[in-house]
Amino acid sequence: MAVLCVSLCICLPWIGSIAVWRCGNAHSKLQHSVASVFAVATGVMSLLLLLNPAETPVVRIPMGDFFGELTLVPDGLGIILAIIASVVGSLAVVFSIDYMHGDPQLGRYYALILFFIGAMSGLGLSGSMLLMFFFWEITAFCSYALISFHNDDPKAVSGGVKALIVTQFGGIGLLIGALIIRSYTGSYQIGDFLETAPALESGLLSAIGFGFLLAAMAKSAQFPLHTWLPDAMEAPTPVTALIHAATMVNAGVYLLARFFPAFEAVAGWKTSVMLVGLLSALLAALMATRSDDIKRALAYSTISQLGYMIYAVGIGGIFASMFHLLSHAVFKALLFLGAGAVIQATGTRDMRRMGNLSKKMPFVHATFMIGCFALAGLPLANGFFSKELILEFGLQRGPQWVFLCMLAGAGLTAWYTLRIYTMTFRGQSGEIHVVNPAPPAMKTSLAILAAGVLTTWLFAAGFSALLADSLPYHNVHVTTNISLIHEIIRAPLTYVALLVIVAGGACWQFRDRVVKKFRIPARVTQFVESGYGIDIPYTAVVRITQRASRLLRDAHSGQLNLNVAGISAALCILLTLLLAGV
Amino acid sequence: MQIISIHTTLVSAALLCALQAIHSKRLLISALWLAALSALLSILFYILGAEQVAVIELSVGAGLVTVLFVFAINVAGDQELKGRDIIPIPFAAGLVLIGILLLIRFIVPLEPPLRTSRSVSFVETLWGLRGLDMLVQIVLIFSGVLGLLRILAEAKAPLEGAVTEEVAALRERDLQALAQQSTAATERISQATPEPF
Amino acid sequence: MELSSLNILFIGAAALLGIGMYGMLVSHNLIKIVVAIQILVKSALLAMISAGLARDEIQLSQSLALTVIVADTIVAVIGIALAVQVRRRIGTLDVRELSKLKG
């Protein structure tokens, strides 16, 4: 039964992807229905995984000595990732029924989304590092293909290529780590590695650890490899909600959480993880306060929240980190889908041209407000509980100065959240005419996600029990709902955090007075807005590659004599090398 | 001593033939030097004890291939091509010399052969051990002949069309030139005509 | 340095290889390049027979050499046919002009 569930979680969306493609672009209604059916079926299948979690591999495919065994393990981490991918994926697909209405290339769109959903479930469920790398690369490809989905738009294409290059650069770290593990322990299995990790020499272990950290930084868009995520906002909004908010960017956090017990002991690893999380959280929050494009602001917010999750992993709070991952997936998808509804209705992404939409789009306004509550960390939304849990862990276990910075980050979060909300939904009407309020399919997805935001924190107890039972190497803190609520209500930290959040909101409200008090030179704001200059090495690499290839064109002369000269010279060099070896 | 000197002479003669084949100005002479090279090598093979290959090499190398070259040269023409050298001769000679010297460095520490009596016959080896080779060769010959026929035959039909197109284009150009000449001439005449009376 | 007959043979093969490569480096006429390829193959034949001599497996090396002769003849045939076609269609046998890459 478990075998069936696990394999279907991966194969069902892949079959759906082929089915949608074969439908043909002429029958768009059929494509919409087929895609939704397969996506929802996958969602249901992934929820069924909760029935039999396992510690040991459930599916084993032997691939000979060289590739080891390809295994699938439905343990806590894997199940949660698969559930998020499938359920949020199905909601995004339902949303796309109305968002992508009338698009001429639906086959490609749905096929890629379904392909991605299957690959993401596989990434979480795989127990062999080689299989995980395989799924990792598939998600990177799907992300690139979906970002540059409108391939007649040069900005979309360059955004897709940038995403591909940066995440692949990180993927090198993952591959090298996996190969080192294979050569020193003889197996690709994650379980075996976690068991034998203390026996490896520390130099090797640090190499693997930092390689994995590099891969996680690239995939989760952490500082300094974060520049691809804002440029990836050229993708259609359901794609952004699914890939760049809820699932693929979580792969980095998942990677670090999965391998945490192995690298705990490596000197400086936990500190680096914490620092990466801290820097991303703060710097991205700063950039979110300056952005006028609604999707870019939400993208910076994603980077910032991922920073929180990575910080939590760094201090050892695996449960807190994964709990916030779950909450963030739900509320960020909600915010992005809401933004998508707004973008479709108003025709623009620029928040300065929007305003007073609360009257014209009441449903979207309500759900967006719930999402904002969660993002800012206000009570009753799941974001509140998970963020408080992270901050408490931080206070108990981590260094104090890092904790204070993260607390300040919570204030910044409230600032930009309120900013996004007021610029879009409050204030005076912009120059936009709202064409029509949200169509029913969009409303369904938004409603389900809003309900999720208000209720997923109730699963905290079950979730922590699941993690504790199925992860033998991690020490997971088990909690029940009541104790969680008690903890949070009693801790003074909660009230301090709420105060900071309110202060952040107030800063935005009274921003004129705040700005007058602290005069920031224009150069600094420019530096912040341009991404702290991180884009410079990227454009430099691209330019150098293009120039080098233009120089090498001279070698392709097509002259036979020159080619033969090349062959003879190579022969001489080969003979010299052989002589030198002998 | 006897044997060694025969080998040396044959080999050096072969090298001379090859050099001349490259250096001669006319293609026909080049093909003839190639035939001479084949002949010398076939004698060398015979002396070394590889009789069957010697015979085949003589007939194929000095016969068949030479005839083919002569045919091609007749069809394609034998004119000399002028123009600058892409790779200057000293550089090419130097590169090749370096390669040969490196190879000689590998060759020199080799042991002379031990001669024992021949026990297995050629035909047995050919069909017994290398039977698959023979099949492959037959396939190769067939495909070579077919390819040759295909390459040579394809030219006929489109070439006719191309030729007539070219001719038509030339005629067109001539006509246009004539028309231009006539208009220019009439203009000159009208300009040069003196005013009546 | 005493050079045995085997050494002479192999050195001869190496030298023929060199001359063949030299021919390909220096010639501009397509047909002369086919001639140079033929010289290369002859050098390989010589090396093969000499190797058979060195290992006292002349029969085996003769069989291999036979295959090489057949293959090389086919190569010569096709090469010449191509050269003839090039002359007919493009009009020139000069290798320097037979290149469409912009470089």
Short mmCIF file of all heavy atoms in Angstrom, two decimals, chain B residues 45-100:
data_model
loop_
_atom_site.label_atom_id
_atom_site.label_comp_id
_atom_site.label_asym_id
_atom_site.label_seq_id
_atom_site.Cartn_x
_atom_site.Cartn_y
_atom_site.Cartn_z
N PHE B 45 56.96 -6.38 -48.69
CA PHE B 45 56.10 -7.35 -47.99
C PHE B 45 56.49 -8.76 -48.37
O PHE B 45 56.52 -9.68 -47.55
CB PHE B 45 54.63 -7.10 -48.35
CG PHE B 45 54.06 -5.86 -47.76
CD1 PHE B 45 52.90 -5.30 -48.28
CD2 PHE B 45 54.66 -5.21 -46.69
CE1 PHE B 45 52.37 -4.15 -47.75
CE2 PHE B 45 54.13 -4.06 -46.16
CZ PHE B 45 52.97 -3.52 -46.70
N TYR B 46 56.77 -8.95 -49.67
CA TYR B 46 57.11 -10.30 -50.13
C TYR B 46 58.37 -10.81 -49.45
O TYR B 46 58.42 -11.96 -49.01
CB TYR B 46 57.26 -10.29 -51.64
CG TYR B 46 57.43 -11.67 -52.20
CD1 TYR B 46 56.33 -12.50 -52.39
CD2 TYR B 46 58.70 -12.17 -52.51
CE1 TYR B 46 56.47 -13.76 -52.89
CE2 TYR B 46 58.85 -13.44 -53.01
CZ TYR B 46 57.74 -14.24 -53.20
OH TYR B 46 57.87 -15.51 -53.67
N ILE B 47 59.35 -9.90 -49.34
CA ILE B 47 60.61 -10.32 -48.71
C ILE B 47 60.39 -10.64 -47.24
O ILE B 47 61.01 -11.55 -46.69
CB ILE B 47 61.66 -9.20 -48.87
CG1 ILE B 47 62.05 -9.09 -50.33
CG2 ILE B 47 62.87 -9.48 -48.00
CD1 ILE B 47 63.14 -8.09 -50.56
N LEU B 48 59.51 -9.92 -46.61
CA LEU B 48 59.29 -10.15 -45.18
C LEU B 48 58.53 -11.44 -44.92
O LEU B 48 58.45 -11.91 -43.79
CB LEU B 48 58.49 -8.99 -44.58
CG LEU B 48 59.24 -7.70 -44.44
CD1 LEU B 48 58.31 -6.63 -43.89
CD2 LEU B 48 60.41 -7.87 -43.50
N GLY B 49 57.93 -11.99 -45.96
CA GLY B 49 57.25 -13.25 -45.77
C GLY B 49 55.74 -13.15 -45.86
O GLY B 49 55.04 -14.15 -45.68
N ALA B 50 55.22 -11.93 -46.11
CA ALA B 50 53.76 -11.82 -46.23
C ALA B 50 53.43 -11.83 -47.71
O ALA B 50 53.23 -10.80 -48.34
CB ALA B 50 53.29 -10.52 -45.58
N GLU B 51 53.38 -13.08 -48.30
CA GLU B 51 53.28 -13.15 -49.77
C GLU B 51 51.91 -12.74 -50.28
O GLU B 51 51.79 -12.02 -51.27
CB GLU B 51 53.60 -14.58 -50.23
CG GLU B 51 55.04 -14.96 -50.00
CD GLU B 51 55.13 -16.11 -49.01
OE1 GLU B 51 54.06 -16.62 -48.63
OE2 GLU B 51 56.25 -16.48 -48.62
N GLN B 52 50.88 -13.24 -49.61
CA GLN B 52 49.54 -12.97 -50.13
C GLN B 52 49.24 -11.48 -50.15
O GLN B 52 48.71 -10.94 -51.13
CB GLN B 52 48.48 -13.71 -49.31
CG GLN B 52 48.56 -15.21 -49.45
CD GLN B 52 49.55 -15.83 -48.49
OE1 GLN B 52 50.25 -15.10 -47.77
NE2 GLN B 52 49.63 -17.14 -48.48
N VAL B 53 49.59 -10.82 -49.05
CA VAL B 53 49.32 -9.39 -48.98
C VAL B 53 50.12 -8.64 -50.03
O VAL B 53 49.66 -7.67 -50.62
CB VAL B 53 49.63 -8.86 -47.56
CG1 VAL B 53 49.83 -7.36 -47.57
CG2 VAL B 53 48.50 -9.19 -46.64
N ALA B 54 51.33 -9.14 -50.32
CA ALA B 54 52.16 -8.48 -51.33
C ALA B 54 51.45 -8.49 -52.66
O ALA B 54 51.37 -7.45 -53.36
CB ALA B 54 53.51 -9.20 -51.43
N VAL B 55 50.92 -9.65 -53.03
CA VAL B 55 50.25 -9.75 -54.32
C VAL B 55 49.04 -8.83 -54.37
O VAL B 55 48.84 -8.08 -55.33
CB VAL B 55 49.81 -11.22 -54.55
CG1 VAL B 55 48.83 -11.29 -55.67
CG2 VAL B 55 51.03 -12.07 -54.82
N ILE B 56 48.26 -8.86 -53.30
CA ILE B 56 47.04 -8.04 -53.30
C ILE B 56 47.40 -6.56 -53.34
O ILE B 56 46.78 -5.77 -54.05
CB ILE B 56 46.19 -8.38 -52.08
CG1 ILE B 56 45.70 -9.83 -52.18
CG2 ILE B 56 45.02 -7.44 -51.94
CD1 ILE B 56 44.98 -10.30 -50.99
N GLU B 57 48.40 -6.17 -52.58
CA GLU B 57 48.80 -4.78 -52.54
C GLU B 57 49.26 -4.33 -53.91
O GLU B 57 48.94 -3.22 -54.37
CB GLU B 57 49.92 -4.61 -51.51
CG GLU B 57 50.62 -3.27 -51.54
CD GLU B 57 49.72 -2.12 -51.15
OE1 GLU B 57 48.74 -2.36 -50.43
OE2 GLU B 57 49.98 -0.99 -51.57
N LEU B 58 50.01 -5.20 -54.60
CA LEU B 58 50.48 -4.80 -55.92
C LEU B 58 49.31 -4.56 -56.85
O LEU B 58 49.20 -3.53 -57.51
CB LEU B 58 51.41 -5.90 -56.48
CG LEU B 58 52.13 -5.52 -57.78
CD1 LEU B 58 53.07 -4.37 -57.52
CD2 LEU B 58 52.89 -6.71 -58.31
N SER B 59 48.41 -5.52 -56.90
CA SER B 59 47.32 -5.39 -57.86
C SER B 59 46.39 -4.24 -57.48
O SER B 59 45.96 -3.47 -58.35
CB SER B 59 46.53 -6.70 -57.96
OG SER B 59 46.21 -7.15 -56.67
N VAL B 60 46.09 -4.10 -56.22
CA VAL B 60 45.14 -3.05 -55.83
C VAL B 60 45.83 -1.69 -55.83
O VAL B 60 45.36 -0.75 -56.47
CB VAL B 60 44.53 -3.37 -54.45
CG1 VAL B 60 43.84 -2.16 -53.90
CG2 VAL B 60 43.56 -4.52 -54.57
N GLY B 61 46.95 -1.59 -55.12
CA GLY B 61 47.56 -0.29 -54.95
C GLY B 61 48.14 0.25 -56.23
O GLY B 61 47.91 1.41 -56.60
N ALA B 62 48.92 -0.60 -56.90
CA ALA B 62 49.55 -0.11 -58.11
C ALA B 62 48.64 -0.22 -59.30
O ALA B 62 48.90 0.41 -60.33
CB ALA B 62 50.84 -0.89 -58.38
N GLY B 63 47.56 -0.97 -59.18
CA GLY B 63 46.70 -1.13 -60.34
C GLY B 63 45.43 -0.32 -60.22
O GLY B 63 45.25 0.72 -60.84
N LEU B 64 44.56 -0.80 -59.37
CA LEU B 64 43.22 -0.25 -59.27
C LEU B 64 43.23 1.23 -58.89
O LEU B 64 42.60 2.07 -59.56
CB LEU B 64 42.42 -1.06 -58.24
CG LEU B 64 40.97 -0.62 -58.02
CD1 LEU B 64 40.19 -0.76 -59.29
CD2 LEU B 64 40.35 -1.48 -56.94
N VAL B 65 43.94 1.54 -57.83
CA VAL B 65 43.90 2.92 -57.33
C VAL B 65 44.52 3.87 -58.34
O VAL B 65 44.03 4.98 -58.57
CB VAL B 65 44.61 3.00 -55.97
CG1 VAL B 65 44.72 4.42 -55.51
CG2 VAL B 65 43.85 2.18 -54.95
N THR B 66 45.58 3.42 -59.00
CA THR B 66 46.22 4.29 -59.99
C THR B 66 45.29 4.57 -61.15
O THR B 66 45.18 5.70 -61.64
CB THR B 66 47.52 3.64 -60.50
OG1 THR B 66 48.25 3.17 -59.37
CG2 THR B 66 48.35 4.63 -61.26
N VAL B 67 44.57 3.50 -61.59
CA VAL B 67 43.61 3.71 -62.68
C VAL B 67 42.54 4.71 -62.27
O VAL B 67 42.16 5.61 -63.02
CB VAL B 67 42.98 2.35 -63.07
CG1 VAL B 67 41.75 2.58 -63.92
CG2 VAL B 67 44.00 1.51 -63.81
N LEU B 68 42.09 4.58 -61.02
CA LEU B 68 41.07 5.52 -60.52
C LEU B 68 41.59 6.95 -60.54
O LEU B 68 40.89 7.88 -60.97
CB LEU B 68 40.72 5.15 -59.08
CG LEU B 68 39.64 4.09 -58.90
CD1 LEU B 68 39.55 3.72 -57.45
CD2 LEU B 68 38.32 4.61 -59.40
N PHE B 69 42.83 7.11 -60.10
CA PHE B 69 43.39 8.45 -60.08
C PHE B 69 43.48 9.02 -61.47
O PHE B 69 43.15 10.20 -61.71
CB PHE B 69 44.78 8.44 -59.42
CG PHE B 69 44.75 8.64 -57.94
CD1 PHE B 69 45.09 7.64 -57.07
CD2 PHE B 69 44.35 9.85 -57.41
CE1 PHE B 69 45.06 7.82 -55.70
CE2 PHE B 69 44.30 10.05 -56.04
CZ PHE B 69 44.65 9.03 -55.19
N VAL B 70 43.91 8.18 -62.39
CA VAL B 70 44.05 8.67 -63.77
C VAL B 70 42.69 9.11 -64.30
O VAL B 70 42.56 10.17 -64.92
CB VAL B 70 44.70 7.59 -64.66
CG1 VAL B 70 44.59 7.97 -66.11
CG2 VAL B 70 46.15 7.40 -64.26
N PHE B 71 41.67 8.30 -64.02
CA PHE B 71 40.32 8.64 -64.45
C PHE B 71 39.90 9.99 -63.86
O PHE B 71 39.39 10.88 -64.57
CB PHE B 71 39.37 7.53 -64.02
CG PHE B 71 37.94 7.98 -63.88
CD1 PHE B 71 37.18 8.30 -64.99
CD2 PHE B 71 37.35 8.09 -62.62
CE1 PHE B 71 35.86 8.72 -64.85
CE2 PHE B 71 36.05 8.50 -62.48
CZ PHE B 71 35.29 8.81 -63.59
N ALA B 72 40.13 10.13 -62.56
CA ALA B 72 39.70 11.36 -61.91
C ALA B 72 40.44 12.56 -62.48
O ALA B 72 39.85 13.63 -62.70
CB ALA B 72 39.95 11.27 -60.40
N ILE B 73 41.73 12.40 -62.70
CA ILE B 73 42.51 13.53 -63.21
C ILE B 73 42.04 13.91 -64.60
O ILE B 73 41.98 15.09 -64.96
CB ILE B 73 44.02 13.19 -63.19
CG1 ILE B 73 44.46 13.10 -61.73
CG2 ILE B 73 44.82 14.23 -63.90
CD1 ILE B 73 45.80 12.50 -61.56
N ASN B 74 41.66 12.91 -65.39
CA ASN B 74 41.15 13.23 -66.71
C ASN B 74 39.88 14.05 -66.61
O ASN B 74 39.67 15.01 -67.35
CB ASN B 74 40.86 11.94 -67.49
CG ASN B 74 42.08 11.50 -68.25
OD1 ASN B 74 42.95 12.32 -68.53
ND2 ASN B 74 42.14 10.24 -68.59
N VAL B 75 38.99 13.63 -65.70
CA VAL B 75 37.72 14.34 -65.59
C VAL B 75 37.90 15.72 -64.96
O VAL B 75 37.35 16.71 -65.42
CB VAL B 75 36.74 13.50 -64.74
CG1 VAL B 75 35.51 14.32 -64.42
CG2 VAL B 75 36.37 12.23 -65.46
N ALA B 76 38.71 15.76 -63.92
CA ALA B 76 38.76 17.00 -63.14
C ALA B 76 39.77 18.00 -63.65
O ALA B 76 39.73 19.16 -63.27
CB ALA B 76 39.04 16.67 -61.68
N GLY B 77 40.65 17.58 -64.45
CA GLY B 77 41.62 18.54 -64.97
C GLY B 77 42.85 18.59 -64.11
O GLY B 77 42.83 18.28 -62.92
N ASP B 78 43.94 19.00 -64.74
CA ASP B 78 45.24 18.88 -64.11
C ASP B 78 45.87 20.22 -63.84
O ASP B 78 47.08 20.32 -63.70
CB ASP B 78 46.13 18.03 -65.02
CG ASP B 78 47.22 17.36 -64.22
OD1 ASP B 78 47.35 17.68 -63.03
OD2 ASP B 78 47.97 16.56 -64.81
N GLN B 79 45.10 21.28 -63.79
CA GLN B 79 45.77 22.58 -63.73
C GLN B 79 46.37 22.83 -62.37
O GLN B 79 45.89 22.35 -61.36
CB GLN B 79 44.83 23.73 -64.09
CG GLN B 79 43.76 24.01 -63.08
CD GLN B 79 42.48 23.29 -63.40
OE1 GLN B 79 42.50 22.09 -63.65
NE2 GLN B 79 41.40 24.02 -63.44
N GLU B 80 47.39 23.65 -62.39
CA GLU B 80 48.09 23.97 -61.15
C GLU B 80 47.34 25.09 -60.45
O GLU B 80 46.80 25.99 -61.08
CB GLU B 80 49.49 24.45 -61.51
CG GLU B 80 50.44 24.41 -60.36
CD GLU B 80 51.82 24.80 -60.83
OE1 GLU B 80 52.25 24.22 -61.84
OE2 GLU B 80 52.43 25.67 -60.22
N LEU B 81 47.28 25.00 -59.14
CA LEU B 81 46.55 26.00 -58.36
C LEU B 81 47.52 26.98 -57.75
O LEU B 81 48.46 26.61 -57.06
CB LEU B 81 45.76 25.31 -57.24
CG LEU B 81 44.70 24.32 -57.74
CD1 LEU B 81 44.19 23.51 -56.58
CD2 LEU B 81 43.57 25.06 -58.40
N LYS B 82 47.28 28.26 -58.07
CA LYS B 82 48.18 29.26 -57.51
C LYS B 82 47.57 29.81 -56.24
O LYS B 82 46.38 29.71 -56.00
CB LYS B 82 48.33 30.42 -58.52
CG LYS B 82 48.74 29.99 -59.89
CD LYS B 82 50.16 30.40 -60.12
CE LYS B 82 50.69 30.17 -61.53
NZ LYS B 82 50.03 29.27 -62.38
N GLY B 83 48.41 30.42 -55.48
CA GLY B 83 47.86 31.03 -54.27
C GLY B 83 48.83 30.90 -53.12
O GLY B 83 49.79 30.15 -53.18
N ARG B 84 48.53 31.62 -52.04
CA ARG B 84 49.48 31.59 -50.94
C ARG B 84 49.31 30.29 -50.15
O ARG B 84 48.24 29.69 -50.15
CB ARG B 84 49.24 32.78 -50.01
CG ARG B 84 47.79 32.84 -49.60
CD ARG B 84 47.54 33.95 -48.63
NE ARG B 84 46.14 33.88 -48.25
CZ ARG B 84 45.67 33.08 -47.30
NH1 ARG B 84 46.48 32.33 -46.61
NH2 ARG B 84 44.39 33.04 -47.03
N ASP B 85 50.35 29.91 -49.49
CA ASP B 85 50.30 28.73 -48.63
C ASP B 85 49.65 29.11 -47.31
O ASP B 85 49.99 30.12 -46.71
CB ASP B 85 51.71 28.22 -48.33
CG ASP B 85 52.27 27.45 -49.49
OD1 ASP B 85 51.47 26.97 -50.31
OD2 ASP B 85 53.50 27.35 -49.58
N ILE B 86 48.73 28.29 -46.88
CA ILE B 86 48.14 28.57 -45.58
C ILE B 86 49.13 28.21 -44.48
O ILE B 86 49.26 28.91 -43.48
CB ILE B 86 46.84 27.78 -45.41
CG1 ILE B 86 45.82 28.30 -46.39
CG2 ILE B 86 46.34 27.92 -44.00
CD1 ILE B 86 44.44 27.99 -46.05
N ILE B 87 49.80 27.08 -44.66
CA ILE B 87 50.82 26.70 -43.68
C ILE B 87 52.15 26.73 -44.38
O ILE B 87 52.37 25.97 -45.33
CB ILE B 87 50.54 25.28 -43.15
CG1 ILE B 87 49.19 25.30 -42.43
CG2 ILE B 87 51.61 24.85 -42.21
CD1 ILE B 87 48.87 24.00 -41.79
N PRO B 88 53.05 27.59 -43.99
CA PRO B 88 54.34 27.69 -44.68
C PRO B 88 55.11 26.39 -44.61
O PRO B 88 55.05 25.68 -43.59
CB PRO B 88 55.08 28.80 -43.91
CG PRO B 88 54.32 29.02 -42.68
CD PRO B 88 52.94 28.53 -42.86
N ILE B 89 55.79 26.05 -45.69
CA ILE B 89 56.43 24.74 -45.81
C ILE B 89 57.42 24.45 -44.69
O ILE B 89 57.41 23.35 -44.14
CB ILE B 89 57.07 24.59 -47.21
CG1 ILE B 89 55.95 24.55 -48.24
CG2 ILE B 89 57.90 23.33 -47.28
CD1 ILE B 89 56.39 24.24 -49.63
N PRO B 90 58.27 25.38 -44.31
CA PRO B 90 59.21 25.06 -43.23
C PRO B 90 58.48 24.68 -41.94
O PRO B 90 58.88 23.76 -41.23
CB PRO B 90 60.02 26.35 -43.04
CG PRO B 90 59.76 27.18 -44.21
CD PRO B 90 58.52 26.72 -44.87
N PHE B 91 57.41 25.41 -41.64
CA PHE B 91 56.68 25.09 -40.41
C PHE B 91 56.11 23.69 -40.47
O PHE B 91 56.20 22.90 -39.53
CB PHE B 91 55.57 26.13 -40.22
CG PHE B 91 54.69 25.85 -39.05
CD1 PHE B 91 55.18 25.99 -37.76
CD2 PHE B 91 53.38 25.41 -39.22
CE1 PHE B 91 54.38 25.71 -36.67
CE2 PHE B 91 52.58 25.15 -38.13
CZ PHE B 91 53.08 25.29 -36.86
N ALA B 92 55.50 23.36 -41.62
CA ALA B 92 54.92 22.03 -41.77
C ALA B 92 56.00 20.97 -41.64
O ALA B 92 55.83 19.95 -40.95
CB ALA B 92 54.21 21.91 -43.11
N ALA B 93 57.13 21.20 -42.33
CA ALA B 93 58.21 20.22 -42.28
C ALA B 93 58.71 20.05 -40.85
O ALA B 93 58.95 18.92 -40.39
CB ALA B 93 59.36 20.65 -43.20
N GLY B 94 58.83 21.18 -40.13
CA GLY B 94 59.31 21.11 -38.76
C GLY B 94 58.36 20.31 -37.88
O GLY B 94 58.76 19.44 -37.10
N LEU B 95 57.07 20.61 -38.00
CA LEU B 95 56.07 19.90 -37.18
C LEU B 95 56.14 18.41 -37.43
O LEU B 95 56.15 17.58 -36.50
CB LEU B 95 54.68 20.45 -37.54
CG LEU B 95 53.51 19.98 -36.71
CD1 LEU B 95 53.71 20.38 -35.26
CD2 LEU B 95 52.23 20.59 -37.23
N VAL B 96 56.18 18.04 -38.71
CA VAL B 96 56.21 16.62 -39.06
C VAL B 96 57.49 15.97 -38.55
O VAL B 96 57.48 14.85 -38.04
CB VAL B 96 56.06 16.49 -40.58
CG1 VAL B 96 56.55 15.17 -41.05
CG2 VAL B 96 54.62 16.69 -40.97
N LEU B 97 58.60 16.70 -38.66
CA LEU B 97 59.88 16.14 -38.21
C LEU B 97 59.85 15.85 -36.71
O LEU B 97 60.32 14.81 -36.25
CB LEU B 97 61.01 17.13 -38.53
CG LEU B 97 62.31 16.49 -38.98
CD1 LEU B 97 62.06 15.63 -40.20
CD2 LEU B 97 63.32 17.57 -39.29
N ILE B 98 59.25 16.80 -35.97
CA ILE B 98 59.15 16.59 -34.52
C ILE B 98 58.36 15.32 -34.23
O ILE B 98 58.74 14.48 -33.40
CB ILE B 98 58.48 17.79 -33.85
CG1 ILE B 98 59.38 19.01 -33.93
CG2 ILE B 98 58.15 17.49 -32.40
CD1 ILE B 98 58.73 20.25 -33.39
N GLY B 99 57.23 15.15 -34.97
CA GLY B 99 56.41 13.96 -34.76
C GLY B 99 57.19 12.69 -35.05
O GLY B 99 57.16 11.72 -34.27
N ILE B 100 57.94 12.71 -36.17
CA ILE B 100 58.68 11.50 -36.55
C ILE B 100 59.75 11.19 -35.50
O ILE B 100 59.93 10.03 -35.10
CB ILE B 100 59.31 11.67 -37.94
CG1 ILE B 100 58.23 11.84 -38.98
CG2 ILE B 100 60.17 10.48 -38.27
CD1 ILE B 100 58.76 12.03 -40.37
#
